[in-house]
Amino acid sequence: QVQLVESGGGLVQAGGSLILSCAASGRTFSSYAMGWFRQAPGKEREYVTAISWTTGRTYYADSVKGRFTISRSAAKNTVDLQMNNLKPEDTAVYYCAARRSNYDLGTAVYDYWGQGTQVTVSS
């Protein structure tokens, strides 16, 4: 059973930084893709970024390119999301997700989900 647990959310001022972490357990994640989504109140869920566990290839939504960086640690079985130059529009619940295929990282179809962590950016 795959389990994903997010941590690191909180309140930050605009222009600030946060690191979110996703602890993955339950299996070996080689050949998996790991992603982050976010959902703001009253808005649709947005696919933010993804990484191939094996190759390290990445995908970023245009809204976060140049500000967010996704990385993974095989030793710790974690996927981190470094968020810099945060804006009020980044306020959302951020979800970690995993899927069994690491092809076409731009496809937002995932098999497993975490419970989410709140990120609030004040202006």
Side-chain angles (χ1 to χ4, degrees):
Q1 180 75 11
V2 173
Q3 286 191 319
L4 304 173
V5 180
E6 303 96 335
S7 61
L11 173 65
V12 64
Q13 289 188 330
S17 298
L18 275 177
I19 300 176
L20 304 183
S21 187
C22 174
S25 62
R27 63 150 296 135
T28 301
F29 290 92
S30 59
S31 81
Y32 270 53
M34 308 295 292
W36 286 93
F37 290 74
R38 66 185 181 186
Q39 188 164 21
K43 294 189 177 181
E44 291 188 356
R45 187 172 61 193
E46 180 185 8
Y47 185 33
V48 176
T49 182
I51 188 167
S52 165
W53 194 273
T54 303
T55 67
R57 286 183 300 114
T58 58
Y59 161 83
Y60 294 96
D62 288 343
S63 57
V64 305
K65 275 182 184 174
R67 299 189 299 123
F68 289 13
T69 303
I70 188 171
S71 62
R72 86 278 193 226
S73 168
K76 295 188 290 185
N77 249 26
T78 56
V79 177
D80 290 344
L81 181 59
Q82 172 75 50
M83 305 185 294
N84 297 327
N85 190 22
L86 283 160
K87 305 175 182 180
E89 51 264 43
D90 294 317
T91 295
V93 177
Y94 283 71
Y95 297 91
C96 177
R99 70 176 191 219
R100 293 182 288 271
S101 169
N102 61 9
Y103 291 103
D104 191 10
L105 292 180
T107 300
V109 177
Y110 280 73
D111 303 308
Y112 306 99
W113 296 85
Q115 293 299 307
T117 185
Q118 176 71 46
V119 171
T120 303
V121 184
S122 63
S123 57

